[in-house]
Amino acid sequence: MFALELNGSVVYADTRPLSDGRLLVFYDSKTCAVFTEQDSTGLRLEIDGTRTVVFEAENDPSKLRASTTGKLVRFLVPDGAHVAANTPYAEMEVMKMYMQLSSGDAGVLKHVANADSYVKAGDLIAQLDLDDSSNIKTAEEFTGTFLATRPPHLPGTRC
């Protein structure tokens, strides 16, 4: 059993693995099946097949990452050059199709990956020294508490 504490409030939960890779979660005398998938963009939880929650790993506009796996064909903007917001800076080949990667903000581009190299989704391709760093949004700390709950009812135990 797990005790999750948040700002002075506590919730108790337990899990059991299912044969299909999901987790059966016991919480507040209820159960739900949770599918989890973690990739370079963050953690995705699918709860009972009806709700999806995504926890982003990082959302930093100064780090330009590959959106998919493929071959980084070439850079369209030279290393150290200025790039405008929403301007293509590189080309990738994905399944014999070419796609352009665009910067979300304006700044000076610094190449990190090499042209003609294979990259995975989420790999860092270039860094951007932003013209306006006020566009970077940081996460706010949650100050609330959990709702009051009952301990989970586990299979094989009596209520």
Side-chain angles (χ1 to χ4, degrees):
M1 185 175 303
F2 300 96
L4 307 170
E5 184 176 355
L6 176 69
N7 298 330
S9 62
V10 179
V11 169
Y12 296 95
D14 204 359
T15 63
R16 300 281 192 271
L18 297 174
S19 61
D20 61 0
R22 294 179 299 160
L23 286 175
L24 188 59
V25 178
F26 304 95
Y27 158 76
D28 191 25
S29 298
K30 300 176 194 138
T31 61
C32 61
V34 179
F35 173 76
T36 63
E37 181 179 29
Q38 184 149 8
D39 60 18
S40 59
T41 60
L43 174 67
R44 184 173 65 87
L45 305 176
E46 187 178 304
I47 304 167
D48 282 334
T50 60
R51 292 176 285 167
T52 302
V53 179
V54 177
F55 297 96
E56 288 186 14
E58 182 178 41
N59 189 9
D60 184 350
S62 69
K63 295 181 180 178
L64 304 177
R65 299 186 179 276
S67 56
T68 186
T69 301
K71 181 181 179 183
L72 178 62
V73 178
R74 66 185 176 122
F75 283 97
L76 303 173
V77 176
D79 192 34
H82 188 270
V83 62
N86 301 314
T87 302
Y89 67 91
E91 277 185 348
M92 280 187 66
E93 181 183 350
V94 179
M95 297 177 62
K96 298 187 181 188
M97 295 185 304
Y98 283 83
M99 61 183 271
Q100 292 183 336
L101 303 176
S102 298
S103 65
D105 290 291
V108 176
L109 188 75
K110 293 181 182 174
H111 299 176
V112 174
N114 295 320
D116 279 334
S117 64
Y118 285 91
V119 293
K120 296 182 303 199
D123 282 356
L124 189 63
I125 293 178
Q127 289 191 309
L128 199 59
D129 288 335
L130 298 172
D131 290 346
D132 181 11
S133 60
S134 67
N135 290 340
I136 298 176
K137 296 177 184 159
T138 57
E140 294 180 27
E141 184 175 333
F142 180 73
T143 57
T145 59
F146 288 125
L147 298 174
T149 61
R150 298 172 289 192
H153 174 73
L154 303 177
T157 61
R158 299 186 90 131
C159 293

